[in-house]
Amino acid sequence: MTLEMWGISKSFGANDVLKQIDFSVKGGEITALLGENGAGKSTLMNILGGVLPADSGSIFLDGKPVQFRSPADSLAAGIAFIHQELNLVNDLAVYENMFIGRELKKKAGWLDAKTMCEKCSAIFERMDIRLDPRTMVRDLDASYKQIVEIARALLMEASLIIMDEPTTSLTDPEIQRVFDMMRTLQKQGVAIVFISHKLKEVLEICTRYTVLRDGVVVAEGQTADTSVDELARHMVGHEVRTESLRTQRELGNEILSASMLSQGERFQNISFSVRSGEILGFTGLLGDGRSELFQTVFGSGGKYSGEIRVSGEAVQIHSTRKAMSLGIGYVPRNRKENGIIADMNILENGSIVTWPRNKKACFLDWKKLRAGFAGQVEGLRIKMDSEKNPIGSLSGGNQQKVVLAKWLGADPKVLIFDNPTQGVDVGAKEDIYDIILGLAAQGVAIIVLSSEAQEIIRLCDRTLVMYHGRVQGELQGEKMTEQEIMRLATGGEMRTGEAV
Ligand SMILES: Nc1ncnc2c1ncn2[C@@H]1O[C@H](COP(=O)(O)OP(=O)(O)OP(=O)(O)O)[C@@H](O)[C@H]1O
Ligand SMILES: [Mg+2]
């Protein structure tokens, strides 16, 4: 199959997002669609998926003009869409989500749950994922939701699969399994569009690439003929640094420490300590318990045993209000579920944690809030029209920056970042790293949870590696390598003489 999009234009108000874009894909090829946050990648794919109408332009499928007025039209033409912002129904089981709108029925008209579950299990088995299809989606962690979205697209036997940042929540072994399946589909002649900000992945899996910038295609070609640096340059329009960011900083007093923290099956006997000005990493694989651990430290994870100390004093943290009053901030992973409030506009989302400090009499001092937020918008280079627009009108990466802005305004003593650069483009990623380094230089104690080994290595002074709810080991400085992190994350022991 070949799919061609010709002269596609799309504006939102005064914002001309796509200007006369030509884009095409062929069966048997995996095409990367690249560009900075807000470049229009999701918009272009939403037009292809029948989610948004184009202002002008045409789409041809195997040479014939087609019009997709709804997602159902696009689906009927054999196009499956894995959305950037996950698109599952929380109140249904996994298998119900996977067959939504295409349920299998028995002769008498009853739903055939058994066969649907078997088909789901078969796909999960091929993906080497242990997941009961009857699990309710609301009980799944973001990574599993992403896996279910991918599995659903595979189940559709589509001839074109659009994958809009499918791997943001996944760790390396899962990503490799998804890639294996993509290669199998590629051999079967399926066309795939792959959107990702992880350029190493792009070079590994994609055969072709197209880069969007300022509404036009600025580069395209074969991935074999390019490099990470060149792609990054096309995306942002200038060189992007890639070296380590570790710097010598004066470390101050211990700000936050934990000893023997446990919570049922989720994590056991965790001890750590982080000092003023220090950047401490936590990494591991899916299900290692690090997110649960820090939700608990932030007061939203429920009862725990063990001790938490803030500035040397033993504290009990059983609510987020308490955590915040102790000076703990937490930038959660998965902004859609935990980080943003969909009914609020950009300014409200970006300033909400500073509201208690910005009251005049009983009213919020919007002038002050607006001024504070404007500073963050500039510092973080948030791309938006008006702060009064709904948060959902921002591109994924820009939503992430708004979540960051909110916490930066709160002046915390210790700031926990859970996957801080998820879905953020190469340039913005460096901006966020600079902000984290800046906070550390000001004496904030920083904890970075990340599934990306490179992020930990470049940014953190040292890292704890978790495995099945326990700390498997600690690495520092030059000892932090991708191989060592992976070895510990998969249950390998610390090498003797290596402990710090
Ligand atoms: N429904 C909408 N209403 C108004 N503006 C929108 C809407 N959807 C997208 N935009 C704007 O269009 C531009 C492109 O957004 P899009 O989501 O396509 O970017 P993207 O390339 O997918 O970015 P990211 O890498 O962050 O996901 C952004 O400036 C965004 O704010
Ligand atoms: Mg997008």
Side-chain angles (χ1 to χ4, degrees), residues 12 15 17 35-44 46 52 84-85 164-165 195 197 212 335 383-385 389 392-398 423 425:
F12 294 103
N15 185 358
V17 177
E36 288 188 283
N37 294 132
K41 305 178 296 293
S42 297
T43 303
L44 186 65
N46 278 330
L52 282 175
Q84 177 173 17
E85 306 302 336
D164 195 350
E165 301 195 37
I195 300 179
H197 291 292
L212 301 181
R335 60 184 169 267
K383 212 167 164 181
M384 59 172 198
D385 271 348
N389 285 347
S393 71
L394 293 185
S395 74
N398 281 297
D425 70 53

Side-chain angles (χ1 to χ4, degrees), residues 204-459:
E204 183 183 339
I205 191 71
C206 298
T207 50
R208 293 176 57 227
Y209 68 91
T210 298
V211 185
L212 301 181
R213 193 171 77 231
D214 299 329
V216 298
V217 174
V218 291
E220 54 192 340
Q222 304 283 332
T223 46
D225 305 331
T226 187
S227 64
V228 167
D229 288 350
E230 191 183 48
L231 289 178
R233 200 160 54 231
H234 286 315
M235 283 171 67
V236 299
H238 55 80
E239 293 290 332
V240 183
R241 59 169 193 210
T242 48
E243 77 278 17
S244 167
L245 303 170
R246 255 178 275 141
T247 47
Q248 284 295 326
R249 278 183 310 275
E250 276 296 302
L251 300 190
N253 295 333
E254 177 187 288
I255 302 284
L256 175 74
S257 73
S259 76
M260 300 304 272
L261 279 194
S262 297
Q263 188 180 63
E265 293 283 292
R266 301 168 111 194
F267 52 86
Q268 296 93 34
N269 303 333
I270 309 278
S271 301
F272 67 88
S273 133
V274 57
R275 294 163 64 181
S276 162
E278 189 176 26
I279 306 180
L280 173 65
F282 270 82
T283 186
L285 300 184
L286 178 58
D288 63 3
R290 74 189 121 96
S291 283
E292 290 82 354
L293 169 66
F294 282 96
Q295 276 156 22
T296 301
V297 171
F298 189 59
S300 60
K303 281 205 163 57
Y304 59 88
S305 64
E307 190 177 66
I308 301 175
R309 285 174 176 268
V310 175
S311 304
E313 229 170 275
V315 292
Q316 288 285 330
I317 303 179
H318 289 303
S319 69
T320 53
R321 185 184 293 256
K322 175 77 197 222
M324 281 165 66
S325 74
L326 290 166
I328 303 176
Y330 177 77
V331 184
R333 74 190 313 188
N334 192 354
R335 60 184 169 267
K336 195 179 182 191
E337 287 178 13
N338 311 314
I340 60 172
I341 302 165
D343 310 339
M344 288 190 170
N345 68 29
I346 299 170
L347 172 64
E348 289 163 333
N349 265 289
S351 63
I352 185 166
V353 302
T354 65
W355 288 4
R357 281 196 288 116
N358 285 301
K359 270 195 209 147
K360 257 205 293 204
C362 274
F363 297 100
L364 286 174
D365 185 350
W366 282 106
K367 214 171 139 200
K368 222 166 125 198
L369 285 174
R370 209 166 277 134
F373 185 63
Q376 304 287 4
V377 168
E378 203 184 303
L380 291 168
R381 282 187 252 165
I382 298 175
K383 212 167 164 181
M384 59 172 198
D385 271 348
S386 155
E387 62 195 20
K388 295 205 185 87
N389 285 347
I391 183 90
S393 71
L394 293 185
S395 74
N398 281 297
Q399 290 183 19
Q400 180 72 7
K401 291 190 189 176
V402 173
V403 175
L404 261 171
K406 155 168 102 173
W407 282 105
L408 297 184
D411 279 336
K413 279 201 280 187
V414 46
L415 197 47
I416 303 160
F417 292 90
D418 195 348
N419 265 336
T421 61
Q422 184 172 334
V424 160
D425 70 53
V426 278
K429 205 166 178 168
E430 298 305 311
D431 293 347
I432 290 177
Y433 291 161
D434 282 336
I435 287 157
I436 294 178
L437 290 166
L439 288 166
Q442 288 164 31
V444 180
I446 308 275
I447 293 174
V448 177
L449 318 188
S450 179
S451 44
E452 238 184 287
Q454 270 310 323
E455 177 154 289
I456 295 279
I457 293 167
R458 289 188 59 204
L459 191 60

